[in-house]
Amino acid sequence: MYDISDLLRELLDRYSNTSDLDQEFRRMLRDDPALEDDYAEWCDEHGYKKATGFRDFINEIVESQDSFWDNYQEFGNNI
């Protein structure tokens, strides 16, 4: 069984938030029926639509990171 959240985080680290990430994940789903089944179950468990769940999850991670840095700088911490 795949941990979809971890897999998506790894892809984000590898490809950043690019179309390459989308293409790679879609390729992986096509090539591995077990991954596709685990992804469908993951979407159901987390309330995502299968067509957009991975992208929604990635966007939430990116927004969370942006929010962290915005808050960090708001309190006078400059890098």
Side-chain angles (χ1 to χ4, degrees):
M1 180 170 209
Y2 291 94
D3 184 328
I4 302 300
S5 298
D6 285 346
L7 176 62
L8 291 172
R9 285 185 192 100
E10 289 174 20
L11 290 173
L12 181 60
D13 288 343
R14 189 178 315 154
Y15 295 103
S16 296
N17 192 17
T18 64
S19 63
D20 291 341
L21 183 154
D22 295 16
Q23 291 172 6
E24 179 62 13
F25 187 65
R26 286 188 178 111
R27 183 199 60 76
M28 292 170 72
L29 290 175
R30 278 192 313 271
D31 292 348
D32 188 342
L35 175 62
E36 187 173 10
D37 291 343
D38 288 348
Y39 173 65
E41 185 177 323
W42 178 85
C43 286
D44 287 341
E45 289 174 0
H46 291 86
Y48 293 118
K49 295 178 183 175
K50 189 175 173 188
T52 61
F54 77 94
R55 176 46 47 201
D56 294 340
F57 181 76
I58 294 295
N59 288 340
E60 288 172 9
I61 291 173
V62 170
E63 289 172 11
S64 173
Q65 291 171 345
D66 290 346
S67 176
F68 170 81
W69 289 113
D70 290 346
N71 287 335
Y72 184 80
Q73 291 176 344
E74 181 179 325
F75 291 101
N77 299 304
N78 291 317
I79 298 174

